[in-house]
Amino acid sequence: MTNHETGFAPVNGTELYYERAGSGDAVVLLHTGNGNTTIWDGQFEDLAEDYTVVRYDCRGFGRSGYPDEPYQSADDLAALLDHLGIERAHVIGPSFGGRIAVEFAVLHPARVRSLLLAAPVSREHEWTDEVNTNRMAEEDLIWAGDDDKALDISLGSWVAGPKRTLADMDPTLIARLRITATAGYDRRRRTVAETGNEPDELELVPNAAERLGSLQVPTLVLIGGMDQPDAIEIGERLARDIPGARAEYIDDLGHMITMERPEEFLQKARAFLAEAARAEAARAEAAR
C-alpha cells in the first residue's frame, strides 16, 4: 500500500478522522451504523493497490468529533473531499453508509462517479413494527448502560437477521462488531453527558427518495437474501427508482454483506468499479 496518509479534517464545525492511500481514481468507503473505519481493514489496503481510497469515521463515530449542533452527513463528506482535493469519487456505502452515499449523490451529483450500495438503509422508509420495537428496546438498554443486551438485540436483528441466530454467525465477526458498536454507544452517552443532548441530523427537503430519479450514475445495489425484510425492500426500491440501477441478490448473506465474506465483496466491488469506469469513458467518447 502506497502513500498512506492519516489525519483529521476540519469539516463543518468538527473534525473527521480519515485515511487515504494509493493512487488512481478516487473511491470513498463509508461505514455501517455499528462500525467505523476499521470495518474496512484488509479491503481498504487491497483497493489501494489500484485506486486512491478514502475511508473515514463519520461524525460521532470512531475518532471523529460530534459537536453540539445540527449537521448533514452528506455535506460532511463533500467538505472532506474538498479538504483532500478530490473532485469526484466512486462511493461505496453499506447500510447506514449506503444512506449517506445516496444523500450525497442527490445533494452533490457532479461529485459522484458511481454508487455501490450494500444493503443500504433509508431515512424515508416506514419501518415495520418489529424493527421499531427492537430499536426502542435497544435504545432503552443503551441509556440504562446494559450494552450486552442492547447488542444482542441490534446484532441479532441486523447481523444475523430473521432467518439465523447469532450462534450461526462467525464469532470473529460478531466480536469485531461488538467492539465498534459498544464504542458507538459510549460516544453517544458521553456526548449527552457533556452537552445535554445529541445533535440532530438535518432533514433533506425534498427527501432523498423524491430525488432518486435525478441520479445519472452507474449504480449497483447488493441485497442479502437473509437480511431484514425492511432492508430488502429499501434495496429493491433504490434499484427500481434510480435510473439504470440494478440489484444483485446474494441469497445466503445477511445485512453485513461487506463483512460476512469480504473477499467476495471485493471481487464484486472491483468488477463494478471497472464497469463504471468503462461506461464513463464510453459516454465521454460519445460526447466528442
Side-chain angles (χ1 to χ4, degrees), residues 57-71:
D57 290 331
C58 294
R59 183 186 297 245
F61 293 84
R63 284 166 277 190
S64 290
Y66 200 172
D68 183 20
E69 59 184 36
Y71 66 98

Side-chain angles (χ1 to χ4, degrees), residues 43 250 252-253 256-266:
Q43 297 177 84
I250 310 173
D252 58 346
L253 284 185
M256 305 304 293
I257 291 173
T258 61
M259 297 182 73
E260 277 202 58
R261 288 204 296 269
E263 295 82 5
E264 180 178 341
F265 175 77
L266 265 177

